[in-house]
Amino acid sequence: MATVVLVRHGRTTANTSGILAGRTEGVGLDDTGRTQVHDTAARLSAVPLVRALSSPLERCRATAEAVLAAQAHPAAAEQHEGLNECDYGAWQGRSIAELSKEALWKVVLRHPSAAVFPGGESLREMQHRAVQAVRRTDAAVAEEHGKDAVWLAVSHGDVIKAVLADALGLHLDQFQRLHVDPASVSVVRYTDDRPYVLGVNTHAGDLGWLAAAPHGSSGSSGPVVGGGAGPGASPSTT
């Protein structure tokens, strides 16, 4: 299998105004958000991204375009409904302060697997379609480009948290323990054996190591006892 770089869109005016934007059209990056995605693009510039998927929403498309513009040989971003924001239904467009007073708020925070948004989808449904999109795309990337290929998926906070929870083997009720900031980078390497989470909610640091062929963290041999020597290092034969 291959490796997916999960990037949340940069900051938006809805984020700073405390509004649950959901799938509202026309919600774009603010000045800080554009700076954030520029920095994220620089972090990923040394990593050849063989394929790129994005949520159809403007803020994710803009983020994907910025990341790909920094690539030496950029792929075209493909919009994928599986990476779309959660359908919050009647909650969409309302203030977080107002929503936090509703009974459903506690369910979303404490038992998200039971949360169904009025007129929208459940968090279970959201996780299912997001995980399916990522796992199927990853398998296709590995088939076409090899198991060491790296690809990009740009999506939303709750969506990425749900994908990470699946990769970590966590029940959906635990996904609120994860945090995914605007323009942050998380990394999952899928294998025939199991997924390996290589990074969560990272904001800085060189990511060029992702371009190096992995040793000891993929393939049928599984993880190296003791942790191994890190990316790109040849395993010891002594």
Side-chain angles (χ1 to χ4, degrees):
M1 306 291 271
T3 298
V4 59
V5 174
L6 299 160
V7 175
R8 184 184 170 192
H9 63 79
R11 199 183 79 173
T12 70
T13 53
N15 295 143
T16 56
S17 60
I19 298 297
L20 184 64
R23 298 183 176 184
T24 303
E25 294 292 336
V27 178
L29 305 178
D30 63 13
D31 289 342
T32 296
R34 284 187 284 273
T35 299
Q36 289 172 336
V37 300
H38 178 270
D39 292 343
T40 298
R43 294 182 67 201
L44 288 165
S45 61
V47 184
L49 301 171
V50 301
R51 190 172 179 184
L53 263 58
S54 169
S55 159
L57 298 181
E58 177 184 333
R59 55 195 183 271
C60 287
R61 299 199 313 269
T63 299
E65 289 167 4
V67 171
L68 294 175
Q71 292 278 296
H73 303 287
E78 309 166 39
Q79 296 180 40
H80 198 299
E81 189 62 32
L83 297 180
N84 204 348
E85 177 64 287
C86 183
D87 184 353
Y88 295 114
W91 275 32
Q92 179 172 296
R94 296 172 62 190
S95 73
I96 298 297
E98 179 185 4
L99 292 171
S100 66
K101 299 174 183 177
E102 299 205 4
L104 180 58
W105 182 266
K106 290 184 179 180
V107 179
V108 172
L109 294 185
R110 298 176 183 175
H111 304 291
S113 65
V116 181
F117 296 100
E121 67 181 338
S122 69
L123 285 174
R124 279 186 178 275
E125 291 170 328
M126 180 270 288
Q127 183 185 44
H128 176 75
R129 49 124 168 132
V131 168
Q132 186 178 64
V134 169
R135 284 183 174 263
R136 285 183 174 177
T137 302
D138 192 85
V141 167
E143 178 70 23
E144 182 176 356
H145 299 281
K147 66 180 179 63
D148 294 335
V150 184
W151 63 284
L152 173 72
V154 180
S155 191
H156 307 267
D158 281 348
V159 177
I160 293 174
K161 283 164 58 178
V163 172
L164 288 171
D166 170 76
L168 288 165
L170 297 177
H171 191 281
L172 183 59
D173 282 346
Q174 309 303 319
F175 101 127
Q176 297 291 21
R177 299 186 180 198
L178 298 167
H179 200 73
V180 175
D181 292 321
S184 64
V185 175
S186 300
V187 183
V188 179
R189 175 169 291 137
Y190 289 94
T191 76
D192 294 333
D193 203 21
R194 63 176 69 87
Y196 293 86
V197 177
L198 306 183
V200 175
N201 195 38
T202 71
H203 292 268
D206 175 37
L207 291 170
W209 55 270
L210 283 171
H215 288 287
S217 57
S218 67
S220 59
S221 61
V224 174
V225 175
S234 298
S236 173
T237 58
T238 61

